[in-house]
Amino acid sequence: MRNLVPLLLPFLLLLACLLPAPPAAAGADWRWPLDPAPRVLRPFDPPERPWLPGHRGADLAAEPGQEVLAAGPGRVHFAGTVAGTPVVSVSHGGLRTTYLPVETGLARGDPVTAGQVIGTVAAAPRHCPQRTCLHWGLLRGRDYLDPLSLLGPVPVRLLPRTP
């Protein structure tokens, strides 16, 4: 057994490097930005290169006027419009969550707690073509991450191989 440790160590180190690291510090109080937990209409689908098309967040089923909650504690980083769309972003230390289209009365620097109402889903302009939704994003610096990863590990289900 002792002879296997040197052989397995490189494999285990490689495996540890390949596993995705959690985006936030352990113990952070993360939650859904809508209550009750919404249906995911379109998941995170990052582009292969930063300049290529992709989906840099998750679209969540929502209704106009529905309250939007801070996914975690932090401070308002931005509250205003971008290209005619109302946007709120919250800084959580090294991470930043974004929410659109969201109308808010908050201002840059306002503190927020996890689960605090930060605004309401705007009726227009719509982000999703078929229905109203909340686009929820997550960034670390300039890198987009999957906001659903804040909610904990996603259960993995293995499917049988088909020919």
Side-chain angles (χ1 to χ4, degrees):
M1 180 70 173
R2 191 174 279 173
N3 292 340
L4 288 176
V5 172
L7 295 173
L8 291 176
L9 190 57
F11 172 75
L12 293 174
L13 289 173
L14 176 64
L15 183 62
C17 291
L18 293 176
L19 291 174
D29 185 19
W30 298 104
R31 58 190 64 204
W32 286 98
L34 297 170
D35 187 33
R39 183 168 51 101
V40 176
L41 300 175
R42 185 174 175 198
F44 180 68
D45 183 19
E48 291 182 29
R49 302 276 189 251
W51 59 87
L52 293 175
H55 194 239
R56 294 168 174 86
D59 291 341
L60 309 176
E63 298 300 325
Q66 186 173 352
E67 292 181 334
V68 177
L69 313 173
R75 290 195 174 274
V76 174
H77 179 77
F78 177 83
T81 57
V82 176
T85 300
V87 178
V88 177
S89 70
V90 177
S91 178
H92 313 273
L95 297 174
R96 190 169 68 248
T97 51
T98 60
Y99 312 83
L100 67 94
V102 174
E103 296 170 331
T104 187
L106 296 175
R108 181 178 173 88
D110 286 348
V112 296
T113 59
Q116 177 182 331
V117 174
I118 59 171
T120 57
V121 176
R126 289 188 357 191
H127 173 74
C128 296
Q130 302 301 320
R131 59 156 299 153
T132 307
C133 73
L134 173 71
H135 179 83
W136 182 30
L138 175 65
L139 294 106
R140 179 184 288 134
R142 297 180 72 182
D143 297 325
Y144 287 89
L145 306 172
D146 184 354
L148 299 177
S149 68
L150 294 173
L151 303 173
V154 176
V156 176
R157 190 175 105 202
L158 299 177
L159 300 174
R161 270 181 85 178
T162 56

